[in-house]
Amino acid sequence: MEVSPIKIVTALLLLVFCNSAPAAPPSHFYTVTVDYSMSWLWVEARFNNPVDSVTARSRNAGKYLTDARSCDRDADIRMRNRRMMLPEGGVRCLNYTVNLKRAADEYRNARELVPQNIVVSPSHWLWRPELYDETEIELQFRLPENVIVSVPWQPVDGDATRYRIGRSPESAYAPAIFGEFDYRELDVPGSTLRVTLLQTRAPMDNDAIMDWVQATAKDVSLAYGLFPNPSPQVVIIPVTSRRSSSPVPFGRVIRDGGETVELFINPTMPQEDFLGDWTATHEFSHLMHPYLHSEYRWITEGLAQYYQNVLLTRAGAYEELEAWQKIYAGLERGRRSRPELSPNAAASGGVRSARMKVYWSGAALALMADVTLRERSNGAETLDTVLQRLQACCLPSADVWTGPEFFAKLDSLIDEPVFMPLYRRYADTAGFPDTSEVFERLGLRVSDDEVSIRRKAELAHIRLAITRMDTQAARSRDRLAASD
């Protein structure tokens, strides 16, 4: 049988196409140069295709832009709000200059930092085209001698001056930090934390603070054996002037080009107080889920509330009864908060007086889901294992999720739905999820708001499994506390 030459050529082309390596995502290349006094920042952007506009995320970015011009042809560049309008037909190369010192004045906590620490969000100085699909920016820093940089983006080939930027939820403005500060890479199960400790004029024990960060991240890995993000930026910001009795008065997670955990600390407090504080555990726990739209934050805040108590008990910071008392007290605060509102209504309306409903409604669902999964699988399937599967398939995520999308994805990772039935029952129902039956079956009795434990309850084995202490983690914490 004769074969047409056209068919032969077509077959060869298909063979080459199918066996070739996948093409690398198209990239724009940025070179960012910082002057020796850290007062100015010069950027050269080379695009992979003609670009007719670039945008900065901050509405104030135009105030710090002192010069912008095409480097491949003479043309006028116009400004429209936070968009830089490039010449018709686009340009492939752009140079611009930013007043770095002036942009740094935006950072409200700078007054406590030494002058060698400059914090300037890329939202104020990174002008870029919109990133679609797999398009990325590769960025190279050129820094003065002894100056280092900390950014949320992932380093390329371990190079501390070269980074890759892709799409992200852009939940807030992430920090970029230039100067001389304490930077360390801390290994924990499944991850290397890129930790920046900003410096103040007041003395502080940097080693003790770094030990606490590492210990807390290890506590979070007790959920399923791995820390949920393989390489997050962690920024520790000393704020001794804040009026707070807590060693960690505030923390937050930012999803902006990467995942950043910011922890504001009072470094004058003893390490024992840090090891007993829940803020860092709560914030690190947020990395176990994608970024959800704000009207569904009751789900993610509740998940972190549940895990902060469970994980600190597994790590030995809380006794079992203490943990359940904390969980019960939180659920009660949620139940008493704006009972006429549903969880979705409380979160989407921005109602300040409904804060406890927002923070604890999702914790009630997390507890219910965890118990259901453990009971029907004889302990083989848990909330921990479902979140581990989520991490393996989908995290970190570049997208903004809805509550139903998140719960539907969790249900897709198990044999029989658990999460969407809970969502449909409670998300738009006024009041608060009723956990009294779950408490009773776990052997948790409540009298006058005091929890007691009934050892021979129906699901006592599940209660014990949820909070079972990890002996190695507890001993490690004890050693740190003893070294203070």
Side-chain angles (χ1 to χ4, degrees), residues 312-343:
L312 284 170
T313 311
R314 293 178 189 176
Y318 296 162
E319 297 291 337
E320 181 195 8
L321 179 59
E322 180 185 8
W324 289 114
Q325 182 67 53
K326 288 178 179 292
I327 290 172
Y328 167 77
L331 294 173
E332 276 298 286
R333 289 194 295 274
R335 185 179 65 81
R336 294 166 182 164
S337 172
R338 297 300 295 270
E340 78 280 9
L341 296 177
S342 70

Side-chain angles (χ1 to χ4, degrees), residues 29-47:
F29 293 90
Y30 280 56
T31 303
V32 177
T33 303
V34 178
D35 82 313
Y36 74 96
S37 66
M38 292 191 294
S39 298
W40 299 93
L41 182 147
W42 298 286
V43 179
E44 179 177 279
R46 293 189 174 275
F47 309 114

Side-chain angles (χ1 to χ4, degrees), residues 13-87:
L13 288 173
L14 284 171
L15 185 64
V16 170
F17 176 79
C18 292
N19 287 280
S20 62
S27 294
H28 308 298
F29 293 90
Y30 280 56
T31 303
V32 177
T33 303
V34 178
D35 82 313
Y36 74 96
S37 66
M38 292 191 294
S39 298
W40 299 93
L41 182 147
W42 298 286
V43 179
E44 179 177 279
R46 293 189 174 275
F47 309 114
N48 67 349
N49 55 274
V51 168
D52 57 14
S53 71
V54 290
T55 306
R57 287 192 58 216
S58 169
R59 295 189 178 279
N60 293 328
K63 297 192 304 184
Y64 316 124
L65 189 68
T66 62
D67 179 59
R69 63 187 66 190
S70 168
C71 45
D72 53 11
R73 62 178 174 140
D74 292 332
D76 291 333
I77 294 177
R78 297 175 292 109
M79 299 298 299
R80 183 181 297 169
N81 297 324
R82 54 194 179 94
R83 184 179 296 274
M84 195 186 299
M85 307 302 296
L86 304 179

Side-chain angles (χ1 to χ4, degrees), residues 329-457:
L331 294 173
E332 276 298 286
R333 289 194 295 274
R335 185 179 65 81
R336 294 166 182 164
S337 172
R338 297 300 295 270
E340 78 280 9
L341 296 177
S342 70
N344 274 344
S348 62
V351 185
R352 292 182 64 87
S353 59
R355 188 169 183 265
M356 289 298 99
K357 180 184 287 288
V358 170
Y359 270 73
W360 284 96
S361 297
L365 267 59
L367 172 62
M368 291 175 176
D370 203 2
V371 171
T372 299
L373 288 164
R374 291 172 185 271
E375 182 180 14
R376 77 182 189 187
S377 67
N378 292 320
E381 203 165 56
T382 68
L383 184 57
D384 300 336
T385 61
V386 176
L387 291 175
Q388 182 179 17
R389 293 167 198 163
L390 178 75
Q391 193 272 342
C393 78
C394 308
L395 298 181
S397 174
D399 299 313
V400 179
W401 297 41
T402 66
E405 286 173 338
F406 176 52
F407 275 177
K409 171 53 73 173
L410 295 182
D411 277 337
S412 75
L413 302 173
I414 54 181
D415 293 333
E416 183 182 344
V418 169
F419 297 92
M420 278 306 294
L422 287 170
Y423 182 87
R424 285 190 288 267
R425 181 175 178 182
Y426 293 111
D428 292 305
T429 302
F432 193 82
D434 184 2
T435 56
S436 58
E437 181 183 351
V438 173
F439 262 58
E440 180 64 27
R441 297 182 70 209
L442 290 173
L444 301 168
R445 285 186 170 170
V446 180
S447 177
D448 296 327
D449 286 335
E450 292 293 325
V451 177
S452 61
I453 292 177
R454 183 163 54 90
R455 301 293 176 185
K456 294 185 178 181

Side-chain angles (χ1 to χ4, degrees), residues 104-112 119 239 242 252 264:
D105 291 339
E106 289 271 352
Y107 187 66
R108 291 177 294 178
N109 294 295
R111 62 183 180 276
E112 296 198 36
V119 184
V239 283
R242 288 201 175 198
R252 65 174 181 163
F264 294 78

Side-chain angles (χ1 to χ4, degrees), residues 219 222-223 306 309-320 323-324 370 374 378-379 382 384 459-474:
D219 292 347
L222 295 177
Y306 179 68
N309 289 289
V310 167
L311 293 173
L312 284 170
T313 311
R314 293 178 189 176
Y318 296 162
E319 297 291 337
E320 181 195 8
W324 289 114
D370 203 2
R374 291 172 185 271
N378 292 320
T382 68
D384 300 336
L459 299 182
H461 61 292
I462 289 179
R463 185 195 70 241
L464 291 169
I466 289 173
T467 57
R468 182 172 289 122
M469 185 176 70
D470 183 287
T471 305
Q472 185 176 354

